[in-house]
Amino acid sequence: EAQVTQNPRYLITVTGKKLTVTCSQNMNHEYMSWYRQDPGLGLRQIYYSMNVEVTDKGDVPEGYKVSRKEKRNFPLILESPSPNQTSLYFCASSSQGFGNSPLHFGNGTRLTVT
Amino acid sequence: GEDVEQSLFLSVREGDSSVINCTYTDSSSTYLYWYKQEPGAGLQLLTYIFSNMDMKQDQRLTVLLNKKDKHLSLRIADTQTGDSAIYFCALSGGYQKVTFGTGTKLQVIP
């Protein structure tokens, strides 16, 4: 089954404790992206990647890191989480670019930073 | 950058039609999408329209695009309780970018 898999689904952590949210897709998509969803703000892009070893900042990259060492994986790293990073996070992939073909989303990771 | 606005909430009775609206500022988008988000899940593509079209119909869904007024709408005919979800419009900005609206939560009353 074609899918984007994120882990974990729920995560509660404390300020400053490094964490990684994993994302994997099995559709051989070149384009992958991370979004955060906040009430009243819709989805905002954090980082995106157009291929292996090619990543770039989205609209709200501060406090986040990503890597793309393999085509299927695109982890999101929070080196020193803060409470303003409490949010619902989605990973997405696309076959022909984010605007030129539909996005396939994971089921989300709800992060709480205390 | 692109601003994409939606009303936050819509309530309709089961069997009625729902109309979810979206307004935007940048008219250069090639593709305009509607995504549906059910509780506890990611977004799923519902339908999309090319910018050179005015209307697209897909079973119970009708998408209308008014380029002059920069207005996109999604009509759901015979709305069912299973249609209760958050609906996002999204506009493409080339291969690198898609901008999402703020989302409209549709509540269907039995």
Side-chain angles (χ1 to χ4, degrees), chain B residues 53-103:
Chain B
M53 299 169 66
D54 298 323
M55 184 184 84
K56 179 180 179 181
Q57 188 150 3
D58 185 359
Q59 300 182 333
R60 292 191 298 123
L61 305 177
T62 303
V63 179
L64 294 177
L65 176 60
N66 182 329
K67 291 182 282 292
K68 176 175 170 290
D69 294 337
K70 298 182 183 177
H71 183 265
L72 179 72
S73 67
L74 173 70
R75 179 177 180 269
I76 306 173
D78 187 25
T79 311
Q80 303 298 307
T81 54
D83 295 323
S84 292
I86 302 175
Y87 292 81
F88 291 91
C89 63
L91 276 61
S92 70
Y95 68 92
Q96 286 182 319
K97 187 79 175 167
V98 57
T99 302
F100 287 87
T102 47

Side-chain angles (χ1 to χ4, degrees), chain A residues 65-81:
Chain A
K65 283 175 57 176
V66 293
S67 69
R68 188 92 182 273
K69 293 185 171 58
E70 307 163 279
K71 198 171 188 179
R72 63 185 292 127
N73 296 323
F74 191 45
L76 179 70
I77 303 154
L78 283 73
E79 295 269 3
S80 182

